[in-house]
């Protein structure tokens, strides 16, 4: 399995960016997907996660109303849509297969969750 997040870059505050998560050797449909991020000097945090049936989503309070997630089953891709970006959104973003998704949180499941390579997002003027 190869999992790759892409689409990061330098963006001005207030602008939008879309991150993509692609997988080879694995079908992203009907499985929980999470986007996590880690900023320098900070702990890793779950940003937005969705369960396998797309019936439950978890949003970090810091991105509620600004970020959303979508799947493109035909392309085997998952996207993180980020609007109204803030400097505090600067981090390396990772897509994760099969996190534990709850309405109150989203968690890495050691031994079950699979992490791909991240993509850097820098929000700066």
């Amino acid at each position: 399995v190869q999992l790759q997040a892409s689409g990061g870059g330098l963006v001005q505050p207030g602008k939008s960016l879309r991150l993509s998560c692609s997988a080879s050797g694995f079908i992203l449909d009907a499985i929980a997907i999470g986007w996590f991020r880690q900023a320098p000097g900070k702990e890793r945090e779950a940003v937005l996660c969705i369960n396998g049936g797309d019936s439950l989503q978890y949003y970090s309070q810091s991105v509620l109303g600004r970020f959303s997630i979508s799947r493109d089953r035909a392309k085997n891709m998952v996207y993180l849509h980020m609007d109204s970006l803030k400097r505090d959104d600067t981090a390396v973003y990772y897509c994760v297969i099969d996190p534990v998704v709850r309405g109150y949180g989203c968690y890495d499941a050691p031994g079950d969750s699979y992490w791909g390579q991240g993509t850097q997002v820098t929000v700066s003027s």
Side-chain angles (χ1 to χ4, degrees):
V1 177
Q2 287 188 332
L3 193 64
Q4 178 71 54
S6 62
L10 175 63
V11 63
Q12 293 180 334
K15 300 295 187 181
S16 299
L17 202 62
R18 187 185 75 169
L19 303 185
S20 301
C21 178
S22 62
S24 60
F26 197 89
I27 304 298
L28 295 179
D29 189 19
I31 192 166
I33 298 290
W35 285 95
F36 289 67
R37 68 185 180 187
Q38 187 162 23
K42 294 186 178 180
E43 292 187 357
R44 185 178 64 195
E45 66 168 334
V47 175
L48 200 163
C49 302
I50 189 168
N51 71 347
D54 292 353
S55 61
L56 179 65
Q57 295 188 15
Y58 164 78
Y59 290 82
S60 167
Q61 284 295 313
S62 63
V63 306
L64 189 62
R66 300 188 298 119
F67 288 15
S68 61
I69 192 171
S70 65
R71 300 182 196 259
D72 185 330
R73 290 173 169 80
K75 296 182 179 179
N76 199 35
M77 300 279 285
V78 176
Y79 303 103
L80 179 66
H81 306 269
M82 305 186 294
D83 296 324
S84 302
L85 282 161
K86 304 176 181 180
R87 289 182 173 81
D88 286 348
D89 295 320
T90 295
V92 178
Y93 285 72
Y94 301 88
C95 59
V96 179
I97 292 175
D98 211 14
V100 176
V101 183
R102 299 287 183 265
Y104 52 80
C106 178
Y107 310 97
D108 176 34
D112 292 327
S113 299
Y114 188 87
W115 289 67
Q117 292 186 340
T119 185
Q120 175 72 46
V121 173
T122 302
V123 184
S124 175
S125 54

